[in-house]
Amino acid sequence: MKLHNLMEEAVLNSVNTLYDNLKESKASWLTCDCENCRLDTMAYVLNRIPAKYIVSSRGVTHTATDSGISQLKADIDTLAIEGIRLVSSSKRPTHNITMQADFQNVSTSEPYYCFPTFTGTVLDGTTFEPLENAEITLTAKGQICQMLDQSWANPAKTYKATKGTYTFCVKPEVAEKDGIDGHFDFKLEVKCKGYEPTSYAFSIPVTSKYLSENKGISFYSLKIQDLFLFAEGLENPME
């Protein structure tokens, strides 16, 4: 058996069941339930939950009774509904024609600044426990950053299943020519009900390059320092 993320099965079942139930109940906001919309929703959910890999049939048997998966189910369903609503409201023009990433059709004759996938964690500043229901917005030049595709949300949210973790995959930016060293400033704004909001600014260097038709966009990850929120009315000892 090949390496397999067990969460894919859990997400596939959740998303398909929810789509079928919504279609049967004729939900007014559900605009489409084609295969590509379902796949977009699955990608949305899988990008926001921890993977659980297995490498053998024994692993399948062992993990089939893992209580952790059952505990994740409610979070998976919540994320799936959120993903379905997002995909239904902003589906790609070609969603029912071919499965393509929003950035796949760019010209390979132009160089681009390709940004890393930003990932970080939001924690309670007193208990150091991961925060759920936090909302994180990524901006640049005072504008909300555009994501690579709709499976990545901005603002992003944290859930119990994500253990306070968020991710952003920023859409590449056209450059004047290949090999230019660019400097980009970003800002994270974080808020959560019952907590004082906070923000964090950071800068990264990026060198422009041409995209390969065969390889497409190559991704690498940049870990952002942990961000702490303090309950309203508490003094922040870090200030």
Side-chain angles (χ1 to χ4, degrees), residues 50-72:
K52 197 173 188 66
Y53 291 104
I54 54 174
V55 293
S56 67
S57 299
R58 183 178 179 182
V60 174
T61 304
H62 175 73
T63 7
T65 57
D66 191 333
S67 60
I69 296 178
S70 299
Q71 292 172 3
L72 283 175

Side-chain angles (χ1 to χ4, degrees), residues 208-227:
S208 62
K209 63 180 180 179
Y210 288 101
L211 301 181
S212 166
E213 291 183 356
N214 297 325
K215 297 182 179 179
I217 303 172
S218 59
F219 293 101
Y220 60 101
S221 179
L222 177 65
K223 177 69 170 65
I224 306 298
Q225 71 173 42
D226 291 342
L227 301 176

Side-chain angles (χ1 to χ4, degrees), residues 12-216:
L12 183 148
N13 292 334
S14 173
V15 168
N16 281 331
T17 297
L18 288 170
Y19 263 108
D20 291 342
N21 290 342
L22 289 168
K23 184 177 180 181
E24 184 177 351
S25 64
K26 298 180 180 180
S28 59
W29 54 268
L30 183 66
T31 59
C32 181
D33 71 322
C34 73
E35 180 182 4
N36 286 334
C37 284
R38 293 186 182 217
L39 288 173
D40 278 343
T41 302
M42 292 175 196
Y44 181 89
V45 178
L46 286 168
N47 282 333
R48 288 161 176 78
I49 62 173
K52 197 173 188 66
Y53 291 104
I54 54 174
V55 293
S56 67
S57 299
R58 183 178 179 182
V60 174
T61 304
H62 175 73
T63 7
T65 57
D66 191 333
S67 60
I69 296 178
S70 299
Q71 292 172 3
L72 283 175
K73 189 178 185 306
D75 292 313
I76 290 174
D77 289 344
T78 299
L79 284 166
I81 285 293
E82 182 176 290
I84 292 172
R85 286 186 177 277
L86 176 64
V87 171
S88 292
S89 64
S90 59
K91 58 181 178 291
R92 289 177 268 114
T94 57
H95 75 283
N96 58 355
I97 300 175
T98 181
M99 186 63 181
Q100 295 177 330
D102 291 346
F103 201 68
Q104 187 173 333
N105 295 322
V106 300
S107 172
T108 55
S109 63
E110 290 183 301
Y112 289 84
Y113 291 111
C114 294
F115 304 104
T117 298
F118 301 126
T119 180
T121 305
V122 182
L123 305 171
D124 183 296
T126 302
T127 66
F128 299 101
E129 291 294 323
L131 270 183
E132 56 180 305
N133 298 320
E135 181 179 285
I136 308 96
T137 304
L138 179 67
T139 62
K141 300 177 182 178
Q143 301 293 322
I144 293 180
C145 295
Q146 186 176 358
M147 297 293 100
L148 182 65
D149 62 49
Q150 62 188 14
S151 68
W152 302 85
N154 189 14
K157 292 183 179 180
T158 60
Y159 298 86
K160 183 178 180 181
T162 67
K163 298 181 180 179
T165 299
Y166 61 88
T167 53
F168 291 107
C169 193
V170 179
K171 185 174 182 178
E173 183 176 311
V174 178
E176 293 182 2
K177 60 181 181 179
D178 182 42
I180 299 177
D181 292 329
H183 190 83
F184 294 86
D185 299 318
F186 294 94
K187 184 178 182 181
L188 290 165
E189 298 177 354
V190 189
K191 62 182 180 180
C192 185
K193 186 177 180 180
Y195 289 81
E196 295 289 347
T198 190
S199 62
Y200 174 71
F202 63 97
S203 301
I204 61 168
V206 182
T207 301
S208 62
K209 63 180 180 179
Y210 288 101
L211 301 181
S212 166
E213 291 183 356
N214 297 325
K215 297 182 179 179

